[in-house]
Amino acid sequence: MTEKTFDINLSCADRPGIVAAVTTELAGLGANIAESNQFWDRQTNRFFMRLSITAPGSVERDGLLRALEPAIARFDMKTAIADRARRPKIIIMVSKFDHALLHLLYQIRVGWLDAEVAAIVSNHEDARRTAEMESIPFHHWTVNRDNKAEQEAKLLALFNETGADLLILARYMQVLSNDLSNRLYGKVINIHHSFLPSFKGAKPYHQAHERGVKLIGATAHYVTPDLDEGPIIEQETERVTHALSAEDFVAAGRDIESRVLARAVKLDLENRVMLNGHKTVVFG
């Protein structure tokens, strides 16, 4: 019978015997550990573990969870188990700038990202042609002060109806409400430019050019009610010089934003990110 692959993420207060308790139960199922990552946060005394295992074809996710219940109860573990045979579903949100969207779709097409795009949602029509070319359902929902709650209710319904695992803000230029951010905590990833000083408002790359910025960066993070301050998943910087134009800054920004977002999405889809308060533990 064909083997199955599961990802198991566990976290709890650190004390002796955690690894032994978990691996003993897995051995009893005839499972084999293909990959193991562990981290002890000394500040909070929290222990984090990610295991990727292969198991006999007769083993189901629910059966795996039942086998681990004694260890889970003993150590009061927070647990997540993913069957790798199930392809994750994502919803991508975008406004007018579509570079991050296009990069995600390309990485899915070539197989580097393993995901099914359940829908593309936008507050503009610009991405409709891309969605139609990729045979992806497209939803054009304009957002303003008067209909924001109504549109977010539609978005939450779409997320639940499609069985989506992740909502990706691929340069979606609307701020999600506190209510929606809390409802989908840990399930929404945003990409944001990173500068010092932090330039807000219109044309941040042009502002950075005017101030002689030497590093352009991007940060992918989970969305929280604190705007652009959610737990960070991935970051990168790139050097720029005085010889570059503002348009060169914009081009560099598009490139780095696309790369960082795609890497963050891959880490999340492969269950390699665990929330640790306001931070993340990333098993790359």
Side-chain angles (χ1 to χ4, degrees):
M1 189 176 291
T2 305
E3 286 185 330
K4 293 181 178 178
T5 302
F6 297 92
D7 292 332
I8 306 171
N9 287 11
L10 305 164
S11 64
C12 60
D14 185 66
R15 59 189 173 105
I18 299 170
V19 176
V22 172
T23 55
T24 297
E25 300 296 345
L26 294 176
L29 289 174
N32 184 55
I33 297 174
E35 182 181 347
S36 175
N37 296 277
Q38 302 165 34
F39 173 69
W40 171 33
D41 184 345
R42 288 170 170 79
Q43 280 190 315
T44 61
N45 196 42
R46 294 290 294 178
F47 178 78
F48 298 84
M49 180 165 63
R50 177 189 182 273
L51 298 171
S52 182
I53 68 166
T54 58
S58 58
V59 175
E60 300 291 342
R61 181 187 176 279
D62 289 345
L64 180 57
L65 183 59
R66 283 195 298 272
L68 291 174
E69 277 179 357
I72 293 171
R74 176 182 169 191
F75 294 99
D76 191 23
M77 291 179 177
K78 184 176 180 181
T79 311
I81 301 176
D83 185 344
R84 291 295 291 272
R86 179 187 174 276
R87 198 178 190 204
K89 292 183 179 181
I90 62 176
I91 293 174
I92 305 176
M93 302 190 74
V94 63
S95 290
K96 289 191 172 183
F97 300 111
D98 62 357
H99 52 280
L101 164 69
L102 294 174
H103 189 66
L104 289 172
L105 295 178
Y106 176 78
Q107 296 297 351
I108 291 171
R109 188 187 312 151
V110 300
W112 186 73
L113 284 177
D114 184 19
E116 174 189 341
V117 184
I120 294 174
V121 177
S122 181
N123 55 332
H124 296 279
E125 283 281 359
D126 301 57
R128 181 181 292 278
R129 183 181 176 189
T130 296
E132 290 174 349
M133 289 175 61
E134 299 288 338
S135 299
I136 299 170
F138 180 77
H139 301 272
H140 172 223
W141 296 335
T142 57
V143 179
N144 56 51
R145 186 179 303 173
D146 297 326
N147 72 358
K148 187 179 182 70
E150 175 189 347
Q151 303 296 48
E152 287 196 346
K154 288 164 61 176
L155 176 61
L156 184 60
L158 179 67
F159 189 88
N160 293 328
E161 289 166 6
T162 59
D165 300 279
L166 188 64
L167 180 65
I168 303 166
L169 308 185
R171 289 304 303 272
Y172 180 67
M173 307 307 289
Q174 292 285 329
V175 177
L176 301 186
S177 70
N178 290 356
D179 179 63
L180 187 62
S181 298
N182 283 324
R183 282 173 176 260
L184 295 180
Y185 180 65
K187 297 182 179 180
V188 186
I189 293 179
N190 183 42
I191 187 66
H192 189 269
H193 62 78
S194 299
F195 299 119
L196 186 65
S198 177
F199 299 108
K200 300 179 180 180
K203 295 188 174 182
Y205 289 100
H206 289 75
Q207 296 180 55
H209 182 263
E210 290 175 4
R211 290 289 298 274
V213 162
K214 300 297 185 279
L215 285 173
I216 280 179
T219 296
H221 63 94
Y222 289 116
V223 171
T224 66
D226 296 320
L227 182 62
D228 297 324
E229 294 186 15
I232 293 169
I233 306 168
E234 177 68 321
Q235 291 180 298
E236 185 181 331
T237 59
E238 182 175 311
R239 293 201 67 83
V240 290
T241 75
H242 62 277
L244 299 179
S245 67
E247 288 69 28
D248 292 330
F249 274 41
V250 173
R254 284 195 296 259
D255 189 43
I256 197 168
E257 287 171 3
S258 300
R259 296 197 307 267
V260 171
L261 179 60
R263 291 203 301 269
V265 169
K266 184 176 178 66
L267 289 165
D268 183 278
L269 295 179
E270 293 182 355
N271 310 298
R272 296 182 179 277
V273 186
M274 300 180 70
L275 289 166
N276 182 20
H278 298 295
K279 301 184 293 183
T280 57
V281 174
V282 181
F283 294 123

